Amino acid sequence: MEQYPVRKIEKPIDWCVTVPGSKSMTNRALLMAALSDGTVTLDGVLFSDDSRHFISSLTALGFDVLVEEEKRRVTVKGEGGTIPKKEAEIDVGSAGTAARFLTAMLALSGGQYEVTSSEQMKGRPMKPLLLALEQLGVEFEYREAPYHFPFYIKGRQEKEVERVDLNIDESSQFLSALLLAGVMCRDGLEIHLTGQRDARSYVEISMKMMKEFGCSMEQVEKD
């Protein structure tokens, strides 16, 4: 067993520590900034493989993004719930949040997009989210295995009633993805949860951040 000697501190030390940002909150904030109406500056951004893929995807979709990594800051010009480029190709890498959140956003946009990923991400679950999006009229063309990356998205057109059933047993990110991207639905989106999993903690992060961005929602508990 290795031992690591720790030198005793003999006098008080005045330290200033910067707590790193959150990957989960960073990617949620990036998506909401892109969908907002106006320019949004995000401070305390965590720069990681996930967030870099998210930022590069937003840039590929035509969003105006200013990255100041040394300041841990990103500025995004929101497009009011629309995507500048109606056709584009993005690579989500191995980023689970980017994969789920961006897929939902692209699917609800009405545009047409090619989405690729790393080999690792190809094996991660996506089917419940994709099935829910198909209920909303989205079409997918799978380049390899059905309900896995890579795929081509033909976004849905507006419908009068936006209601969907969603199973989140495999990942709460499916619900967060639909909640966050649901602001693109003109008349709102009603999500009915199926399955047994209670993923309240991560979903509450999404809902709290949405409220901070000015979004409205209502959670109705089952009897």
Side-chain angles (χ1 to χ4, degrees), residues 55-159:
I55 291 168
S56 65
S57 294
L58 291 180
T59 301
L61 293 169
F63 288 97
D64 185 358
V65 182
L66 173 62
V67 177
E68 300 174 274
E69 190 161 339
E70 70 285 354
K71 297 180 181 179
R72 300 187 299 279
R73 178 181 298 161
V74 176
T75 302
V76 183
K77 183 178 181 295
E79 296 291 340
T82 62
I83 298 176
K85 292 185 178 180
K86 301 307 178 186
E87 296 185 19
E89 181 176 340
I90 66 168
D91 179 6
V92 298
S94 298
T97 49
R100 279 69 181 260
F101 296 176
L102 289 170
T103 293
M105 181 181 76
L106 298 178
L108 297 180
S109 72
Q112 300 181 44
Y113 305 95
E114 194 82 34
V115 188
T116 61
S117 75
S118 68
E119 289 298 320
Q120 179 193 29
M121 193 64 217
K122 289 180 183 180
R124 296 179 64 182
M126 285 290 295
K127 187 173 182 177
L129 175 60
L130 300 177
L131 286 173
L133 292 169
E134 285 179 342
Q135 293 176 47
L136 295 172
V138 182
E139 297 179 15
F140 295 93
E141 294 178 9
Y142 299 101
R143 303 311 192 198
E144 296 179 15
Y147 296 105
H148 290 275
F149 290 106
F151 48 69
Y152 175 80
I153 300 174
K154 184 177 180 182
R156 71 90 174 86
Q157 303 301 316
E158 285 286 355
K159 298 166 61 179

